[in-house]
Amino acid sequence: MNAFSSPARLRDMIRAIRACKTAAEERAVVRKECAAIRTSINGNDQHYRHRNLAKLMFIHMLGYPTHFGQMECLKLIASPGFPEKRMGYLGLMLLLDEKQEVLMLVTNSLKQDLNHTNQYIVGLALCALGNICSAEMARDLAKEVERLLDFRDPNIRKKAALCSARIIKKVPDLAENFVGPATALLREKHHGVLITGVQLCTDLCKISSEALEHVRKKCTDGLVRVLKDLANNPYSPEYDVAGFMDPFLHIRLLRLLRVLGEGDADASDSMNDILAQVATKIESNKTIGNAILYECVQTIMSIQDSGGLRVLAINILGKFLSHRDNNIRYVGLNMLIKVVIADVQAVQRHRATILECIKDSDASIRRRALELVCILVNETNVKSLTKELVDYLEVSDQDFRVDLTEKICSIVSKYSSEKIWYIDQMLKVLSEAGNFVKDEVWHALIVVISNASELHGYTVRALYKAFQRSAEQETLVRVAVWCIGEYGDFLINNVGMLDVEDPIKVTESDVVHVVEMALKRHSLDITTKAMTLVALLKLSSRFPSCSERIREIVIQYKGNFVLELQQRSIEFNLIIAKHQNIRPTLVERMPVLDEATFIARRAGSLPDAASTPTNRVAKAVAPIVDLLDINSDASPVRVPSSSGGDLLHDLLGVNISFAAQQSDATPPSENGTDVLLDLLSIGSPSAPTKSPAQSNSSTIDIWSPQPSKKSPLSPLDDLSSLSPSPRTTSNAGAAPLVDSLDGFVPSPPTEDNNELVYPSITAFESSSLRLVFNFSKQPGNLQTTNIRATFTNLTSNVYTDFVFQAAVPKFLQLHLNPASGNILTASGKESITQNMRLTNSQHGKKSLVMRIKVSYKINGKETMEEGQINNFPREL
């Protein structure tokens, strides 16, 4: 023997591999053993061939390549002795699969072994063929396997039946050859042969319709008798499993009966009695009994049966739901979802148990139970079931709330018969889990509220109360600020009081304060803050006494980082300050939204418009149209007409005619988007100032990217054309061009007492503190910026020991002056100011940047906030 051969036994190699402490050591041992095995194979060493193959199988199970030993399997299979054949067939099943080309070489050896006089060698060949049989091998060896179905030894017949099942799966055309022998196996007394015969018949029935009809006519009564004998047999230790007589045969028989009874009334009728007997006799206190009952229920629900047996099956599933084992409860819920269509009333009896499953600690059981509850909901039980789900929503897990809120909203939307009940349930959902509600849900709620004119007062009061309790739910805030903006005056006068509610005392200042608190919440997204600004604009018209306070709130966002909020702040401020005469018309209540159109578009039943130039213009205007961001992707947009009033009427619900608002001498505008585009400052004037009779509306080119130099008029000044009394406009008193956009581009500095003054910014804002910077420079020293910092307390607590610190990069020099105080009063009543001087050594090359830290004490407890300021004006 050469130096590389290894006579080590399998156990020695396993011991050496297990002794390895690292993967590298294991790989070294495997490489050494593989080298020794290759040397032995090349030397044609027959003495160690079976030992080498055993080692290869172990190495293969460890995940290492062993393809070089495949031919050794064939050599051992060709050996005459049983031990060598056993090792060869075992290696064949482990190291090869049906896709290997080398498998073609073993077909002849298999054929010889299937005809061998030694039944144990026949058994080895059948096991190997049943595991790796390919379509070609099946065609070549089908006759030998069919002949072995009548073999004298029951073990061979059992293995031949399992091998036949694989053959007919690989080659369905051979199924008819096995029908006769397979049905003969159903008369066997040996349970091992009988269970394989039942499995073979089941596979035949699924593959061949002719086999199904043959087995249905010839064997149904016999199978029923076998199942009856099995259910009524006394204790037999040979087949007893935990007190049940051969449960595996039980399950196989039930599956075959299910296939035979499906779609056939006669076969179903013949098996009704035995199925009822099995369902009532089997105990459900053990897992084996539950397995048999589950198969019995599946068979009952699949065959053609009367309602009584199905009720019995559903009651069994109801018992599953009360079981301690999670797996059994999950299986019961799964089966109930499948059978609920067959008998809804029977499942409804177990509604209370199903609702308890929604509160289960297992997430998969909760989701299945929720799905089943949604199927059980109808017009009669929708209110009780919804109440149970909403009550559970208060204590449910965060991970489960997404699915739960979606299902509740779907149920309420589908089965609500009263709008007040729909609104109440949706408000409960928004109050408890508004952050988990999808956009289309609150869109639909706003549409319903818009159509329920008699409930406007009730809804806005309910939302006002809910907002005060659950201001952290963002979707609730959106719906609340929309309703308060539309119907805020109903809060003051208690308009539309219902018998079920108590009157509340709310002042105009309280309403504005609530909306202001919503706007100041640091966690709200851009959409919510934009909707809140729109609500404030509408309240400025509803509550004239609070108009100045609202303007102060709105103007705080003119330097906001977000362009959308900045634009709204600037435009709304100008409307409140300069255009009081037309403001009530602009902010009239939204017209009633078409509920049917919304539902149709939500369902996707309305086709999209063709992509024509006119439609492209409409799509371009659509984002401007949707001031409230409600269903912007689906809202219908009409193309502006020459009448001039349609588009604004669609947008803002202005229920007036443009002709009535204009002078008789004033011709209608040729572009219906003028007023809207003036309002939003989109585009620029494209024509010079007209004569006094024509100056009420300026034509604006929405596609023009650059302002025209011909017109000195501010677009917002053209809003006065909506005033009942026409006016003429002269160049002398014209406002600067596009005054509503001064917050969108760097504003030129203004001179104030020989200083250059720049626009202020909100440098830092949290839920508790706001920091505003005001800038100025000396005309001769542009590198140095004077900054006045103003700190405002946004909470109801007093801040003591207030300290402000700042840090800047090396190219900047910072000088801090003492602050005006160290006590910051509550609710912004008084502010702290602190001046600083910032010198930029690389002015014009690098922008200003600053890192800040603020510390203070609340009731003796120290608090610290910090942040980085990057939004300094570029011209600094």
Side-chain angles (χ1 to χ4, degrees), residues 173-190:
D173 295 341
L174 298 175
E176 59 181 10
N177 299 335
F178 291 91
V179 174
T183 54
L185 294 178
L186 298 179
R187 296 187 290 271
E188 287 280 351
K189 299 298 182 182
H190 190 279

Side-chain angles (χ1 to χ4, degrees), residues 61 139 154 248 549 593 741:
M61 288 188 289
R139 291 188 179 93
F248 303 102
R549 178 185 173 187
L593 304 174
L741 295 180

